Amino acid sequence: MKQPVLVAAASGSEDLIPTLVERMRHLGPDLPLYVISEFKVEGAAWIPFHLGRTLEQNLALCRFHLADKEIRYVGLILQPRMPYWTLRLLAFRLGGWNTVFFNEDLNHFLIRPRSFGTIARHLLWRAKNLVRWELRPGGATYTLLWRIAHPKAFERPLLTAAARVSGWFAKMRRSAEAGPRLTPKTEPLTGGISVVIPSRNGADLLGRLLPGLVRELADPGGEIIVVDNGSSDGSAEWLARDYPSVRVIVSAPALSFARAVNRGIDSARCARVMMLNNDMVLEPGFFAPLVEAFSKVPNLLCATAQIFFPEGQRREETGKAVMPRKRGADDFPVRCDTPSMGEDASYVLYGSGGCSLFDTARLRALGGLREIYEPAYVEDLDLGYRGWQQGWPSVFTAGAKLEHRHRATTSRYYSQTDLDRVLELNYLRFVAGSVASPAVFARLWKQAVDRLNHRAARQEPDPAAMAALRQAWRIALSPAPPAIPNNEASFLALTNGDVAVFPGRAPSTRPRLIVASPYIPFPLSHGGAVRMYNLMRRAAPDFDQVLLCFVDRLDTPPQEVLDLCVEVVLVVREGDHLRPLTDRPDTVEEFDVPAFRAALRQTITKWNPAIVQLEFTQLALYAPDCAPARTILVEHDVTLDLYRQMLERGEDWETRQQYERWVRFETAAWRSVDRVVTMSEKDRASLQRDNAVTLANGVDLERFTPSAEQPEPLRILFIGSFAHLPNLLALDFFLRRIWPLVRESLDATFHVIAGSRPEYFLERYAEKVTPPLDAAGVEVEGFVSDPRIAYRRAAVVVAPLLASAGTNIKIMEAMAMGKAIVSTPGGVNGLDDLVSGRDLLVAEQPEAFAAAVVELLRDPARRSEIERQARSTVEASYGWDAIARRQKELYNALTPSTA
């Protein structure tokens, strides 16, 4: 017989949910209550509702949880202007005619004949509220009537609609096909740099710029070209007298910035062209980093300098120009980010037209600056974008520093309102005239029009935005650019501000290896980091390593990592609980980040590595992007085996969905790479693949050594990052089934080291497991930089894992520290050399596990015997040096020429 239950759907605002729970309990005080909600609700059983999933997927999850239940009533909230209609429909599908409808006052009714009067009153009340809402200031009907009375108010929405419609036509005119690449012409250019400086009545600014410029240009050599642009202050005569080596191109009428600079580019004689504003002051050593960038980055179009502002002024520019993925509704699409300490050669969307060094041949192949941008602004963005379309990058060069006296020329001739209007119009011209991809154009055009509409609709409308809206529809219909060879979405992802490059040790002629990782391998916060760091440290003498990894935010990498790598590339990854349930596992979807893929491809182009090593199963999704390098997938865990083990302990809808997806994804991943590295022979055999090899986990025997100091006699230690679900499952099992038995015998202390961001992962996995961390005698600590202190204090270390794949590095660390360990069979998965009763104690059932812990705590002699043997065993089998030698053999086998 099925158990009757109540179900509530949290389809209203957060403040109404507790009252909904209370009202539902009144319908059946003795019945269990389930709440379907996005986040856990206290006082009821929780069924998660995933906003990113379909109705049918959420419904299947609910039916699994309620499969052996009889649903007595399902309650839902009908609250206006709350976007929970999918949840309400789900609730009605579950409850049918037993659905209880609550309004925002928590009055309710069922769909019954006797309730028709109540329903009619509810609908009438709702209709009255709708009329009041529509007729209030801000309501749609009120706004329409107000605009009819003020016809001019229709201008902005009509212009916005026209811009959107013309944008749709402009998208249709673009070709999705890749076009031909431009080929830079071979020209008789000399070495050195041609510095092009446009100047309009700027004798005073040139007087401050030129002494430093002449000094700095002496090393690379070259020429200085001043385009005297409609000046009346005697600039040409002064230059001829005081700086006779400077070539002066005189234009009687004042030209736009683009036209003036193009005059200088056309007359340049050197292989590099420096575009330099006259309101700059160079710092010593300015040119060397810019020139060096061209020897490091293949096909480089532009190296741009780091810009500072005079003391006391806000730093409006930095040189690191990006088009951010997320921005405010009013924010201009492009911004300058402040670089992190040590960041250099990060990819930028464009180089500032006022302080950037260009490859002359490529610059001329692009036709220089486009002269549609009058009188200035956006021409440098347009140039950099067209360079990326051809596969010619731009990079930020931190070591080339200068100070910018911002708008020292333009502000003399144009008001701020004029400059704002020009900027808005020129950005629209850029999107319409240079963005070739139909999809990218549609996205950028929509964002631009929406932003202008938002700014023009403010209480104090932006006149520049309104002026741009009036022209937008015409600009959209201007001639579309030709198809281009490069993926625009890819380089926009690379230059959206989520990627930063940090140089490390000096490159050599050693073979090159890219290590791609979902985490940075230092500090040593989890087993994966321990493995990566120790093997990278031992590979560093023989290989030039480049690390490409995800981070939560961009910051200077630890020196311990920089010392091992010639370059470290960081990519920001943000968590998102709204991800849909797709054909791939959730973890794979979470790590499928366009910026990482773009950074990987660009890093391969830059370094031409022999091997790309993909750490952890989920990064196998990037295997197709690694050509022409050979590929290694490091299976820290055979993930499908991990999920299979969890299912063996109890059927679960969510786990079943992920397991089926891991089976498809992971087995395909093994075929997509040249070698698969497993942590144990057991794992290797389970793959049934000829390309699989075993490189076991190990331990740093010099860092982890037994201590002479005595441990605290009743202290138990568990180390396991909460980011790894099996650790939370193990902890829950220990606290619920084993810890009460231990506490019955001894007043022990249980110390848990949970790794970084434990609260985040507790919430993330709350639907699967909620360990009782508030139990008596439990101490929980987050990330610990040096776990050796915790090991020394502990009398016993426990590893109560219920499901495990790969091998447990924490077991090896504890053995190296000379610690007595109690583990489940899962905790020593793959460690076939270990013998229970000799190296550690292994117990599966809670009673036996608790008895083993109590035995070791009560019998110091027995504990000491196991501690000595544990250290002896780990010394014989699990040192990193031996494992690193086998890894080097694997690398050499994939690159025979380097053996």
Side-chain angles (χ1 to χ4, degrees), residues 513 611-615 630-634 673-677 693 695 887 890-891 894:
L513 165 71
I611 297 169
V612 176
Q613 182 161 300
L614 303 166
E615 301 280 352
R630 307 296 295 277
T631 49
I632 297 173
L633 172 63
V634 181
V673 295
D674 295 295
R675 292 290 186 277
V676 181
V677 170
V693 297
L695 290 178
Q887 178 178 259
L890 170 62
Y891 291 165
L894 288 177

Side-chain angles (χ1 to χ4, degrees), residues 377 407 410-422:
Y377 295 152
R407 292 177 173 174
T410 54
S411 60
R412 297 178 182 178
Y413 303 100
Y414 302 97
S415 68
Q416 184 62 51
T417 300
D418 289 336
L419 295 175
D420 291 344
R421 178 180 56 81
V422 166

Side-chain angles (χ1 to χ4, degrees), residues 485-702:
N486 252 24
N487 184 330
E488 290 172 89
S490 179
F491 69 70
L492 283 174
L494 181 63
T495 59
N496 67 6
D498 287 345
V499 180
V501 177
F502 297 85
R505 58 194 290 178
S508 69
T509 57
R510 295 183 288 256
R512 291 169 178 170
L513 165 71
I514 292 177
V515 178
S517 168
Y519 316 99
I520 197 161
F522 198 93
L524 306 179
S525 57
H526 52 81
V530 171
R531 177 188 174 89
M532 285 187 284
Y533 176 76
N534 278 283
L535 290 180
M536 288 179 70
R537 184 159 69 88
R538 287 160 176 81
D542 301 306
F543 296 88
D544 278 358
Q545 300 177 111
V546 178
L547 174 66
L548 172 63
C549 65
F550 285 105
V551 291
D552 295 327
R553 61 185 179 86
L554 298 181
D555 204 354
T556 307
Q559 191 61 47
E560 290 85 350
V561 173
L562 292 170
D563 289 343
L564 305 181
C565 304
V566 295
E567 184 172 276
V568 176
V569 183
L570 304 182
V571 181
V572 172
R573 183 183 74 87
E574 295 180 355
D576 185 0
H577 73 284
L578 299 180
R579 291 186 182 278
L581 182 63
T582 68
D583 290 337
R584 300 187 303 184
D586 284 353
T587 304
V588 175
E589 292 295 342
E590 289 174 9
F591 281 91
D592 190 353
V593 177
F596 194 90
R597 177 171 283 103
L600 175 60
R601 290 174 175 172
Q602 185 61 38
T603 303
I604 290 172
T605 298
K606 179 177 180 178
W607 290 101
N608 190 26
I611 297 169
V612 176
Q613 182 161 300
L614 303 166
E615 301 280 352
F616 291 88
T617 316
Q618 61 264 37
L619 291 202
L621 70 96
Y622 296 108
D625 303 290
C626 295
R630 307 296 295 277
T631 49
I632 297 173
L633 172 63
V634 181
E635 284 273 50
H636 292 252
D637 304 305
V638 179
T639 315
L640 63 87
D641 182 43
L642 188 64
Y643 276 84
R644 178 188 57 77
Q645 292 177 52
M646 289 192 288
L647 283 172
E648 286 175 351
R649 302 193 67 86
E651 186 65 30
D652 176 77
W653 188 88
E654 192 72 47
T655 304
R656 173 66 62 183
Q657 299 302 309
Q658 296 305 312
Y659 170 70
E660 292 172 353
R661 286 157 175 76
W662 276 116
V663 169
R664 292 194 296 268
F665 176 83
E666 199 163 14
T667 54
W670 300 334
R671 297 191 297 270
S672 70
V673 295
D674 295 295
R675 292 290 186 277
V676 181
V677 170
T678 62
M679 303 298 102
S680 68
E681 278 299 303
K682 171 179 172 286
D683 285 349
R684 187 193 64 78
S686 72
L687 267 61
Q688 299 182 347
R689 296 287 307 173
D690 292 339
N691 64 338
V693 297
T694 299
L695 290 178
N697 275 321
V699 64
D700 188 335
L701 295 173
E702 296 177 2

